[in-house]
Amino acid sequence: MKLDWSIVWQSRWLLFEGALVTILLTALTMLIAVPGGIVLALMRNSRLKPIALFATGFVELFRNLPLLLLVYWAFYVMPVLTGFGLPPFTTGLVALCLNVSAYNSETFRSGINSIRRGQSEAGLALGMSRLEVFRQIVLPQAWRRVLPILASTWVSLFKDTSLVSVIAVGELAHTAMQIRSQSFRVLEMLTAMAAIYWVLGYPQAKIVDWIHRKYGVRE
Amino acid sequence: MDLDFSPLIDSWRFIASGLGLTIVLSVAAVVCSFVLGLAVGLGRMYGPGWLRVLLVFYIDSMRAIPVFVVLVWIYFAVPIISGHSFDPFWAALIGITIHVAAYVAEVIRAGITSIRKGQTQAGLAIGMSGAQIVRKILLPQATVRMLPAFGSIVSVTIKDTAIAAVIAVPELMRQAETVAGQSYRPIEVFTTVMVIYFLLIFPVTRLIDWFYGRVAHLGRS
């Protein structure tokens, strides 16, 4: 077995770009999926039955599907639904957003429901509107409680972005797999890919632990 | 848009064999990762210092590396080192187990540390050994408390088995890709498989939640 690690150094800029796309994809997904999750959570708590039912169906469906399948599904169904082809990046983003919005919705719902009813009632008694009560009383308190779970979701999402590589989104996993098949330096590239994910992911996992310690709800 | 589900009807045996393998892989992965996770979790809590450092490193690494990366590394890179090629099924089982066991270990640790110290002290006071306290006092209560977290781990594991498709394990996801590719009917095939996965995962998580509702009182202390 002869190993040639120079391939990793030669492709450093490609890998760097791939890592940037991975981070961009993670950040964009979270940016969309946090408001998405809040809206879905509010819809589930809605008094209008059809709205609540739709949101429940949406959340349960996208929470209980393998992401890989969702990625393929978006890849084939989106062009038909929209009538034109979308770049892989957008398709991957949509699949990730569907999945993470569903998760975030559950997170926010439990966060919102954990704020005692008396708080909203007090707000209403002062003459605040329901929207004001939600924005100024419930959400700020719920926010603190859901933060640790959102942080965990962030790390899962960061790892899950590797799955959109199957539809040729040029993120880290896809880039590394491409270089692997072009250079035949399989062991070197796969190890480099794992190492880069580790270097990026390990501090994130540690930060999540810290957020849990700082903000975690204790009995 | 016209839909044509006949390719699915024609190849239902092919799809069903994939579903069978998905179930086998899921059950095997859940069992293996629970056994490994219990060992890692207990070793991380009660093992000697060097072992704890090692296990914390392992757990945090698995939290940082995608399961996709673990799978392709085991399937493509390990044979280069060892000289033996893997059957994809075993590579998938090993990869998923190594990955999920880290999460199981964390859940077990969180469950055990959630039991009040007084319980351990009471056990010590009546002369029980450390192993007895873990086995007879801590684990029985912690197991009940851990059930909801285990439920989500089971559901994550089933979802992770779909990733085995990328190393050509002929499970449900892979069979769906094949049928979709051959029939040029990806929308029908993937939508149907979505329903199948949902019907597989949703009841499992619900069942565990329901069971937890029945036994939750046993975990109170």
Side-chain angles (χ1 to χ4, degrees):
Chain A
M1 180 172 62
K2 216 169 111 288
L3 293 180
D4 179 10
W5 292 93
S6 64
I7 182 73
V8 178
W9 179 249
Q10 283 164 26
S11 32
R12 62 189 182 280
W13 291 114
L14 283 173
L15 291 170
F16 181 70
E17 255 175 58
L20 280 187
V21 175
T22 290
I23 293 166
L24 182 71
L25 201 55
T26 311
L28 273 181
T29 304
M30 216 45 173
L31 215 60
I32 299 171
V34 164
I38 295 178
V39 169
L40 280 169
L42 287 178
M43 284 167 74
R44 275 191 91 162
N45 282 345
S46 164
R47 278 168 303 180
L48 292 171
K49 271 277 162 327
I51 292 181
L53 207 66
F54 168 80
T56 308
F58 182 97
V59 170
E60 291 299 349
L61 178 66
F62 290 116
R63 226 161 53 99
N64 288 298
L65 286 181
L67 183 59
L68 191 64
L69 178 60
L70 208 53
V71 171
Y72 274 117
W73 188 78
F75 184 71
Y76 288 108
V77 172
M78 291 256 299
V80 177
L81 285 184
T82 58
F84 53 87
L86 288 166
F89 184 87
T90 318
T91 312
L93 184 65
V94 169
L96 288 169
C97 284
L98 289 174
N99 182 250
V100 179
S101 299
Y103 277 119
N104 282 352
S105 145
E106 286 294 272
T107 308
F108 278 110
R109 198 168 61 104
S110 60
I112 291 168
N113 290 346
S114 78
I115 306 298
R116 276 175 295 122
R117 266 191 86 83
Q119 303 245 352
S120 346
E121 282 162 359
L124 291 172
L126 287 171
M128 292 168 91
S129 73
R130 289 175 63 86
L131 187 68
E132 281 175 324
V133 166
F134 179 72
R135 272 217 345 249
Q136 295 177 18
I137 298 179
V138 178
L139 196 56
Q141 297 183 72
W143 194 251
R144 240 184 103 90
R145 296 202 178 169
V146 300
L147 192 65
I149 306 169
L150 284 183
S152 301
T153 308
W154 170 282
V155 178
S156 303
L157 166 64
F158 167 76
K159 293 157 64 181
D160 282 345
T161 55
S162 61
L163 293 178
V164 300
S165 62
V166 296
I167 57 166
V169 178
E171 42 67 78
L172 183 54
H174 185 256
T175 309
M177 296 295 272
Q178 284 293 104
I179 301 170
R180 168 200 69 125
S181 55
Q182 282 159 13
S183 66
F184 298 106
R185 312 272 15 138
V186 177
L187 178 65
E188 294 87 335
M189 273 327 289
L190 291 183
T191 308
M193 169 168 79
I196 297 171
Y197 269 111
W198 186 87
V199 166
L200 294 173
Y202 198 88
Q204 293 182 38
K206 284 294 176 196
I207 293 171
V208 168
D209 286 346
W210 178 79
I211 294 176
H212 272 273
R213 274 198 304 275
K214 194 163 181 333
Y215 292 102
V217 178
R218 284 177 202 86
E219 286 173 67
Chain B
M1 183 171 73
D2 57 327
L3 294 174
D4 177 12
F5 284 90
S6 61
L8 277 157
I9 297 159
D10 293 340
S11 44
W12 73 270
R13 275 172 203 280
F14 190 69
I15 300 269
S17 75
L19 176 61
L21 198 59
T22 288
I23 295 171
V24 171
L25 185 57
S26 301
V27 171
V30 165
V31 171
C32 292
S33 44
F34 273 60
V35 173
L36 183 62
L38 181 65
V40 172
L42 292 179
R44 183 213 190 293
M45 290 190 74
Y46 304 113
W50 60 269
L51 186 66
R52 285 187 212 183
V53 174
L54 208 68
L55 291 177
V56 170
F57 180 75
Y58 154 71
I59 291 170
D60 287 341
S61 298
M62 282 305 142
R63 290 169 58 201
I65 301 176
V67 66
F68 170 85
V69 174
V70 177
L71 283 190
V72 294
W73 203 86
I74 289 180
Y75 186 62
F76 294 112
V78 169
I80 298 177
I81 301 172
S82 68
H84 298 281
S85 64
F86 271 120
D87 181 70
F89 178 84
W90 292 107
L93 180 58
I94 294 169
I96 295 172
T97 299
I98 290 177
H99 194 257
V100 175
Y103 287 87
V104 174
E106 277 297 90
V107 170
I108 285 174
R109 186 177 67 97
I112 290 179
T113 41
S114 81
I115 308 287
R116 277 179 297 124
K117 248 189 132 60
Q119 303 241 352
T120 311
Q121 288 161 350
L124 288 170
I126 57 169
M128 292 170 93
S129 72
Q132 278 178 319
I133 291 171
V134 171
R135 229 181 39 238
K136 296 193 169 157
I137 300 180
L138 297 180
L139 276 183
Q141 297 179 74
T143 309
V144 174
R145 293 186 180 187
M146 288 183 261
L147 270 175
F150 281 154
S152 58
I153 285 181
V154 169
S155 124
V156 166
T157 309
I158 302 174
K159 286 185 250 178
D160 279 353
T161 62
I163 302 172
V166 295
I167 57 168
V169 177
E171 44 67 76
L172 186 53
M173 185 70 229
R174 177 74 184 183
Q175 307 297 72
E177 279 174 45
T178 309
V179 175
Q182 284 170 356
S183 64
Y184 297 105
R185 289 284 168 192
I187 297 175
E188 292 88 334
V189 173
F190 286 126
T191 308
T192 309
V193 171
M194 254 173 143
V195 175
I196 299 176
Y197 266 112
F198 182 78
L199 292 178
L200 185 67
I201 298 169
F202 186 67
V204 171
T205 50
R206 275 299 140 99
L207 199 69
I208 294 172
D209 282 351
W210 170 83
F211 184 65
Y212 176 69
R214 296 286 306 264
V215 298
H217 62 280
L218 297 172
R220 267 185 225 134
S221 67

